PDB file of all heavy atoms in Angstrom:
ATOM      1  N   ARG A 291      80.683  85.947  89.032  1.00  0.00           N
ATOM      2  CA  ARG A 291      79.268  86.082  88.685  1.00  0.00           C
ATOM      3  C   ARG A 291      78.526  84.752  88.821  1.00  0.00           C
ATOM      4  O   ARG A 291      77.379  84.718  89.261  1.00  0.00           O
ATOM      5  CB  ARG A 291      79.125  86.621  87.259  1.00  0.00           C
ATOM      6  CG  ARG A 291      77.677  86.950  86.876  1.00  0.00           C
ATOM      7  CD  ARG A 291      77.596  87.554  85.488  1.00  0.00           C
ATOM      8  NE  ARG A 291      78.409  88.751  85.366  1.00  0.00           N
ATOM      9  CZ  ARG A 291      78.019  89.965  85.773  1.00  0.00           C
ATOM     10  NH1 ARG A 291      76.827  90.112  86.325  1.00  0.00           N
ATOM     11  NH2 ARG A 291      78.812  90.998  85.622  1.00  0.00           N
ATOM     12  N   ASP A 292      79.191  83.631  88.432  1.00  0.00           N
ATOM     13  CA  ASP A 292      78.511  82.331  88.470  1.00  0.00           C
ATOM     14  C   ASP A 292      78.292  81.812  89.884  1.00  0.00           C
ATOM     15  O   ASP A 292      77.600  80.812  90.078  1.00  0.00           O
ATOM     16  CB  ASP A 292      79.291  81.295  87.651  1.00  0.00           C
ATOM     17  CG  ASP A 292      80.690  81.068  88.196  1.00  0.00           C
ATOM     18  OD1 ASP A 292      81.419  82.061  88.408  1.00  0.00           O
ATOM     19  OD2 ASP A 292      81.064  79.900  88.420  1.00  0.00           O
ATOM     20  N   LEU A 293      78.882  82.492  90.877  1.00  0.00           N
ATOM     21  CA  LEU A 293      78.727  82.065  92.270  1.00  0.00           C
ATOM     22  C   LEU A 293      77.727  82.925  93.034  1.00  0.00           C
ATOM     23  O   LEU A 293      77.378  82.605  94.174  1.00  0.00           O
ATOM     24  CB  LEU A 293      80.088  82.100  92.983  1.00  0.00           C
ATOM     25  CG  LEU A 293      81.177  81.195  92.390  1.00  0.00           C
ATOM     26  CD1 LEU A 293      82.494  81.393  93.125  1.00  0.00           C
ATOM     27  CD2 LEU A 293      80.758  79.727  92.429  1.00  0.00           C
ATOM     28  N   VAL A 294      77.275  83.997  92.420  1.00  0.00           N
ATOM     29  CA  VAL A 294      76.331  84.901  93.089  1.00  0.00           C
ATOM     30  C   VAL A 294      74.960  84.220  93.181  1.00  0.00           C
ATOM     31  O   VAL A 294      74.461  83.663  92.198  1.00  0.00           O
ATOM     32  CB  VAL A 294      76.216  86.232  92.331  1.00  0.00           C
ATOM     33  CG1 VAL A 294      75.155  87.127  92.984  1.00  0.00           C
ATOM     34  CG2 VAL A 294      77.560  86.953  92.311  1.00  0.00           C
ATOM     35  N   ALA A 295      74.373  84.277  94.378  1.00  0.00           N
ATOM     36  CA  ALA A 295      73.093  83.600  94.619  1.00  0.00           C
ATOM     37  C   ALA A 295      72.132  84.524  95.335  1.00  0.00           C
ATOM     38  O   ALA A 295      72.531  85.336  96.186  1.00  0.00           O
ATOM     39  CB  ALA A 295      73.311  82.330  95.437  1.00  0.00           C
ATOM     40  N   SER A 296      70.857  84.385  95.030  1.00  0.00           N
ATOM     41  CA  SER A 296      69.812  85.131  95.731  1.00  0.00           C
ATOM     42  C   SER A 296      69.490  84.433  97.046  1.00  0.00           C
ATOM     43  O   SER A 296      70.099  83.433  97.408  1.00  0.00           O
ATOM     44  CB  SER A 296      68.571  85.240  94.846  1.00  0.00           C
ATOM     45  OG  SER A 296      68.076  83.947  94.532  1.00  0.00           O
ATOM     46  N   GLY A 297      68.508  84.956  97.740  1.00  0.00           N
ATOM     47  CA  GLY A 297      68.147  84.379  99.030  1.00  0.00           C
ATOM     48  C   GLY A 297      68.884  85.094 100.146  1.00  0.00           C
ATOM     49  O   GLY A 297      69.084  86.317 100.105  1.00  0.00           O
ATOM     50  N   SER A 298      69.311  84.354 101.151  1.00  0.00           N
ATOM     51  CA  SER A 298      69.911  84.969 102.325  1.00  0.00           C
ATOM     52  C   SER A 298      71.312  85.495 102.030  1.00  0.00           C
ATOM     53  O   SER A 298      72.026  84.986 101.161  1.00  0.00           O
ATOM     54  CB  SER A 298      69.950  83.966 103.484  1.00  0.00           C
ATOM     55  OG  SER A 298      70.643  82.801 103.099  1.00  0.00           O
ATOM     56  N   GLY A 299      71.697  86.531 102.783  1.00  0.00           N
ATOM     57  CA  GLY A 299      73.023  87.103 102.647  1.00  0.00           C
ATOM     58  C   GLY A 299      73.044  88.429 101.918  1.00  0.00           C
ATOM     59  O   GLY A 299      72.090  88.775 101.197  1.00  0.00           O
ATOM     60  N   ASP A 300      74.151  89.177 102.084  1.00  0.00           N
ATOM     61  CA  ASP A 300      74.257  90.494 101.456  1.00  0.00           C
ATOM     62  C   ASP A 300      75.310  90.571 100.361  1.00  0.00           C
ATOM     63  O   ASP A 300      75.407  91.589  99.656  1.00  0.00           O
ATOM     64  CB  ASP A 300      74.537  91.566 102.513  1.00  0.00           C
ATOM     65  CG  ASP A 300      75.780  91.284 103.353  1.00  0.00           C
ATOM     66  OD1 ASP A 300      76.630  90.472 102.919  1.00  0.00           O
ATOM     67  OD2 ASP A 300      75.904  91.865 104.449  1.00  0.00           O
ATOM     68  N   LEU A 301      76.108  89.512 100.160  1.00  0.00           N
ATOM     69  CA  LEU A 301      77.125  89.557  99.113  1.00  0.00           C
ATOM     70  C   LEU A 301      76.518  89.676  97.721  1.00  0.00           C
ATOM     71  O   LEU A 301      77.152  90.204  96.802  1.00  0.00           O
ATOM     72  CB  LEU A 301      78.012  88.310  99.178  1.00  0.00           C
ATOM     73  CG  LEU A 301      79.135  88.308 100.215  1.00  0.00           C
ATOM     74  CD1 LEU A 301      79.940  87.019 100.141  1.00  0.00           C
ATOM     75  CD2 LEU A 301      80.055  89.512 100.029  1.00  0.00           C
ATOM     76  N   GLN A 302      75.291  89.193  97.548  1.00  0.00           N
ATOM     77  CA  GLN A 302      74.634  89.264  96.236  1.00  0.00           C
ATOM     78  C   GLN A 302      74.477  90.704  95.754  1.00  0.00           C
ATOM     79  O   GLN A 302      74.316  90.957  94.552  1.00  0.00           O
ATOM     80  CB  GLN A 302      73.261  88.592  96.302  1.00  0.00           C
ATOM     81  CG  GLN A 302      72.312  89.224  97.307  1.00  0.00           C
ATOM     82  CD  GLN A 302      71.008  88.471  97.463  1.00  0.00           C
ATOM     83  OE1 GLN A 302      70.289  88.285  96.483  1.00  0.00           O
ATOM     84  NE2 GLN A 302      70.685  88.038  98.683  1.00  0.00           N
ATOM     85  N   TYR A 303      74.541  91.653  96.680  1.00  0.00           N
ATOM     86  CA  TYR A 303      74.385  93.060  96.323  1.00  0.00           C
ATOM     87  C   TYR A 303      75.731  93.753  96.079  1.00  0.00           C
ATOM     88  O   TYR A 303      75.753  94.939  95.739  1.00  0.00           O
ATOM     89  CB  TYR A 303      73.613  93.799  97.426  1.00  0.00           C
ATOM     90  CG  TYR A 303      72.296  93.126  97.753  1.00  0.00           C
ATOM     91  CD1 TYR A 303      72.074  92.540  98.989  1.00  0.00           C
ATOM     92  CD2 TYR A 303      71.278  93.058  96.800  1.00  0.00           C
ATOM     93  CE1 TYR A 303      70.871  91.916  99.297  1.00  0.00           C
ATOM     94  CE2 TYR A 303      70.068  92.434  97.095  1.00  0.00           C
ATOM     95  CZ  TYR A 303      69.878  91.865  98.346  1.00  0.00           C
ATOM     96  OH  TYR A 303      68.685  91.248  98.621  1.00  0.00           O
ATOM     97  N   GLN A 304      76.831  93.023  96.279  1.00  0.00           N
ATOM     98  CA  GLN A 304      78.165  93.576  96.053  1.00  0.00           C
ATOM     99  C   GLN A 304      78.555  93.434  94.581  1.00  0.00           C
ATOM    100  O   GLN A 304      77.994  92.610  93.846  1.00  0.00           O
ATOM    101  CB  GLN A 304      79.187  92.864  96.943  1.00  0.00           C
ATOM    102  CG  GLN A 304      78.900  92.957  98.433  1.00  0.00           C
ATOM    103  CD  GLN A 304      78.938  94.382  98.943  1.00  0.00           C
ATOM    104  OE1 GLN A 304      79.865  95.142  98.643  1.00  0.00           O
ATOM    105  NE2 GLN A 304      77.907  94.770  99.699  1.00  0.00           N
ATOM    106  N   ARG A 305      79.544  94.211  94.194  1.00  0.00           N
ATOM    107  CA  ARG A 305      80.021  94.182  92.811  1.00  0.00           C
ATOM    108  C   ARG A 305      80.754  92.874  92.525  1.00  0.00           C
ATOM    109  O   ARG A 305      81.513  92.385  93.362  1.00  0.00           O
ATOM    110  CB  ARG A 305      80.960  95.372  92.586  1.00  0.00           C
ATOM    111  CG  ARG A 305      81.584  95.459  91.203  1.00  0.00           C
ATOM    112  CD  ARG A 305      82.414  96.721  91.080  1.00  0.00           C
ATOM    113  NE  ARG A 305      83.347  96.848  92.183  1.00  0.00           N
ATOM    114  CZ  ARG A 305      84.550  96.251  92.193  1.00  0.00           C
ATOM    115  NH1 ARG A 305      84.939  95.493  91.179  1.00  0.00           N
ATOM    116  NH2 ARG A 305      85.350  96.411  93.230  1.00  0.00           N
TER     117      ARG A 305
END
Side-chain angles (χ1 to χ4, degrees):
R291 187 177 303 278
D292 61 309
L293 300 176
V294 176
S296 60
S298 56
D300 56 19
L301 279 181
Q302 60 186 302
Y303 307 114
Q304 301 297 313
R305 178 176 51 84

